[in-house]
DNA sequence: TTGTAGGCGTTATCAG
DNA sequence: CTGATAACGCCTACAA
């Protein structure tokens, strides 16, 4: 019989008061309780007297709506997923993703959403990046995705299956473009080239990481255009982490007559850090012997006493906030194609590492 | 008719696949799907063939159980809540909570849990700390709570209502003690007093923040005991942020003959940072004129070129990991009272700011 | 071996 | 103005 199921609720378990408890004590129906508690009393035209009575009983019982049931009844769960394609919280204190998360969290809070942090992407985790990892996104009403490397195809699949997704960073696959909030690397990098040119530099080198990822592609593009527009010699040099050493830097400066080096911030910024660490050993002082510019702020400063790098930063927190806004827009209905992609300006960082080009020796 | 209600689900909205969808495609009942997916196939004696078929359809549909419904039905959903009593991600880049979160995330991932980040606590958020904020925790199987200031009473309420909770930091209310994973501030602070004594300091001052919070209480206790054991003069000085200036420091050194100052790391470490910033203006060099020790690492270093502070650090990431372990233990059944509270050792930081006590002038 | 039915606590619709 | 009644998605005791 169902009594075996019912009894524990009504008697055995002291439990939390339910709307039906209030209803009984107030002598109304459970529906009325719900109406009153949700403030629909006007719309439903409920007697003020009734309302007061219900409210009183609710208070006296210390009633609190069960969030689980509430979300179950509404058809959304007010949960926004956050998925990072890489360790969400890198062990070595890299704070690449943290500011994004901060922005996401801030805005989500303001909008009444909680965050579902998917942990599948952690290295050594019990879960893999595999198929089911992405499927779990469905737990949330919609999700913000990020990470330098992401399986676009599958994300496109998700999105076109109607699942609301926003990528933090410009991403697109052949044909389709998924909703994203990115940084305008092209424009910002273009400006960096111009600044270097304005400082008199005629030969500059961009030390970029070898992996193919939109941020690096966009930077290279902007830098090339900027260099071209300013009639500056640009050498794009692809380096793996560990390949940059004092010798290379000396060669650049002495042999190739390069007067400015452009670095980029990535999830590890490994190449950039290598470069900065190699400068002293190379006997090059910044910006006297060599100017240095950064495309995007470097995470995890290598040493404390470094000069602030000139270049531009990423509006990470802002990006996080906008991503949430876009996601919520998506949740609330279709968004025009134009509105689905948003690029934010990168704040310029004056810094102290761009100086006038040294006279040719 | 209900068709008006049913249609949107089955056709209009692509939505998430439900067990009934699987059931239909697999030609079985929804019950069977549930049984199979929960692994009750043995107990229920379900044909292996049926099971395979169900599993295949589930996979092909990318089925994932709705965590809300799962919990509603009284089951676990493999979600761990994280609630911070203060902004989880402070705007000013303070990273007090981040390492905790990192530890929690790591361990949760290893154990197959996702994280539910409750955002109710953000300042300026649309939500308050109010009643419902804490109640949303129920969406998760259990929760990790943190924050220098927390409404213990209500947390005790939650815990004694049977909801699994672990506090990150030692917390107790009159009578009850909630499960926690804390840092052994007492022992670590005691050791700091001893170290100062060993360096010859006979008069030291502890500049602590005015608010009453367990970390500060424990530190004061340990420091007092350590000072007592080492026969050292300890002055505990309660300072509000902004009250520490060069003049105060000069007075301490010149008038009170204090040779060492002890600072504490809090969520803002405001007083500590004020102190550090005031040192140069006070004409005091560290550690020649004055030794400085830190009880807990200071978040958000005030200036880049500071010496590493001697004292101890917090094993934040470890604490986060242990909190998850404890929480999972709690989830799996009763934990002995002894096991419900865990204190971790604080790693000693040698640093460069404790020097021999200067000779009395 | 599989399906039926009822319940979890709330919201929403629709008669009365 | 109020109260049945039916979802929401899942789980499980019990029936067939």
């Amino acid at each position: 019989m169902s009594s075996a199921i019912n009894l524990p609720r009504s008697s055995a378990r002291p439990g939390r008061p339910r709307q039906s408890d209030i209803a009984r004590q107030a002598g109304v129906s459970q529906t009325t309780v719900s109406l009153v508690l949700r403030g629909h009393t006007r719309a439903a035209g409920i007697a003020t007297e009734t309302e007061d009575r219900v409210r009183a009983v609710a208070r006296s019982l210390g009633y609190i709506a069960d969030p689980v049931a509430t979300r179950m009844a509404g058809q959304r769960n007010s949960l926004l997923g956050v998925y990072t394609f890489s360790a969400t919280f890198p062990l070595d204190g890299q704070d690449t993703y943290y500011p994004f998360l901060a922005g996401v969290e801030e805005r989500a809070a303001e909008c009444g959403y909680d965050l579902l942090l998917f942990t599948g992407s952690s290295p050594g985790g019990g879960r893999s990046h595999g198929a089911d990892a992405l499927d779990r996104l469905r737990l949330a009403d919609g999700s913000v995705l990020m990470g330098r490397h992401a399986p676009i195809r599958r994300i496109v699949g998700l999105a076109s299956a109607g699942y609301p997704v926003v990528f933090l960073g410009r991403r697109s696959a052949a044909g389709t473009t998924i909703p994203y909030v990115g940084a305008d690397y092209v424009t910002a990098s273009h400006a960096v080239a111009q600044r270097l040119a304005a400082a008199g530099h005629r030969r500059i080198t961009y030390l970029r990481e070898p992996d193919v990822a939109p941020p690096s592609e966009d930077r290279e593009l902007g830098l090339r255009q900027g260099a071209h527009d300013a009639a500056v010699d640009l050498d794009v040099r692809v380096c793996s982490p560990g390949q940059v050493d004092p010798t290379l830097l000396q060669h650049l400066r002495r042999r190739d007559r390069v007067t400015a080096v452009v670095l980029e911030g990535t999830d590890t910024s490994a190449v950039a850090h290598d470069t900065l660490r190699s400068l002293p050993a190379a006997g090059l002082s910044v910006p006297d012997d060599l100017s240095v510019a950064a495309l995007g702020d470097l995470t995890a400063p290598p040493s404390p006493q470094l000069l602030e790098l000139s270049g531009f930063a990423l509006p990470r927190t802002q990006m996080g906030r906008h991503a949430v806004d876009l996601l919520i827009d998506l949740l609330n209905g279709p968004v025009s194609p134009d509105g689905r992609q948003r690029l934010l300006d990168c704040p310029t960082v004056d810094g102290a590492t761009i100086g006038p080009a040294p006279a040719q020796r």
Side-chain angles (χ1 to χ4, degrees), chain A:
Chain A
M1 289 298 292
S2 69
S3 69
I5 294 178
N6 265 340
L7 269 183
R9 287 248 138 259
S10 32
S11 59
R13 188 169 96 170
R16 313 152 36 117
R18 302 163 283 173
Q19 290 189 346
S20 58
D21 295 326
I22 301 177
R24 202 174 329 110
Q25 281 202 34
V28 298
S29 81
Q30 181 266 338
T31 305
T32 306
V33 175
S34 175
L35 256 18
V36 168
L37 263 28
R38 300 208 44 219
H40 286 295
T41 114
R42 267 288 126 72
I46 286 181
T48 315
E49 187 209 6
T50 309
E51 175 179 355
D52 292 345
R53 189 151 30 94
V54 170
R55 287 226 140 81
V57 175
R59 201 169 8 249
S60 81
L61 253 44
Y63 171 82
I64 288 176
D66 181 340
V68 179
T70 304
R71 287 181 155 119
M72 174 97 185
Q75 47 280 59
R76 29 215 278 177
N77 56 19
S78 295
L79 256 32
L80 298 186
V82 177
Y83 193 96
T84 309
F85 293 96
S86 93
T88 310
F89 301 105
L91 302 165
D92 39 8
Q94 299 159 349
D95 47 3
T96 325
Y97 297 113
Y98 175 67
F100 287 127
L101 194 53
V104 169
E105 197 260 356
E106 268 178 42
R107 191 68 188 129
E110 292 171 8
C111 299
Y113 285 86
D114 287 318
L115 256 35
L116 195 40
L117 231 49
F118 293 102
T119 59
S121 43
S122 291
R127 298 169 177 187
S128 65
H129 259 311
D132 67 307
L134 265 189
D135 280 334
R136 276 183 301 143
L137 289 187
R138 290 208 152 85
L139 295 183
D141 288 337
S143 290
V144 173
L145 310 180
M146 51 190 178
R148 188 170 157 88
H149 299 106
I152 317 286
R153 306 283 299 271
R154 301 194 36 221
I155 298 176
V156 169
L158 259 182
S160 53
Y163 183 79
V165 158
V166 171
F167 204 96
L168 217 29
R170 184 185 69 77
R171 286 298 184 287
S172 59
T176 353
T177 303
I178 58 181
Y180 66 73
V181 172
D184 190 351
Y185 288 118
V186 178
T187 301
S189 299
H190 187 282
V192 166
Q194 304 267 27
R195 282 165 66 189
L196 288 171
H201 299 272
R202 302 262 71 91
R203 300 179 69 84
I204 70 186
T205 293
Y206 170 32
L207 296 174
R208 62 158 283 189
E209 308 231 350
D211 55 341
V212 177
S216 298
E217 308 308 314
D218 288 356
R219 285 162 177 154
E220 181 171 336
L221 179 65
L223 212 51
R224 281 192 190 280
Q225 290 179 346
H228 177 264
D229 293 353
V232 163
D233 252 20
L234 170 69
D235 180 34
V236 175
R237 194 159 193 136
V238 176
C239 304
S240 301
Q243 279 187 350
V244 181
D245 56 20
T247 310
L248 171 65
L249 295 180
Q250 282 172 343
H251 276 12
L252 284 179
R253 179 68 191 93
R254 309 251 158 81
R255 195 187 60 199
D256 303 339
R257 309 272 177 222
V258 165
T259 60
V261 166
V262 179
L263 308 174
E264 65 170 340
T266 63
D267 45 2
T268 61
S269 299
V271 168
H273 288 319
D274 282 353
T275 307
L276 295 175
R277 266 193 301 267
S278 301
L279 283 168
L284 296 172
S285 86
V286 175
D288 294 334
D289 301 324
L290 192 71
S291 283
V292 174
L295 308 181
D297 38 8
L298 273 44
T299 56
S303 79
Q305 359 260 61
L306 216 64
L307 299 171
E308 189 187 24
L309 289 175
S310 303
F312 62 84
L314 295 192
R316 290 196 175 84
T317 302
Q318 280 306 312
M319 288 170 70
R321 296 182 60 94
H322 281 267
V324 169
D325 282 334
L326 176 50
L327 185 54
I328 292 178
D329 285 350
L330 251 26
L331 252 37
N332 291 331
V335 172
S336 74
D338 293 9
R340 277 200 287 260
Q341 279 85 232
R342 302 180 188 171
L343 276 190
L344 270 47
D345 289 339
C346 296
T348 298
V349 176
D350 281 337
T353 60
I354 294 185
Q360 291 289 80
R361 284 186 320 156

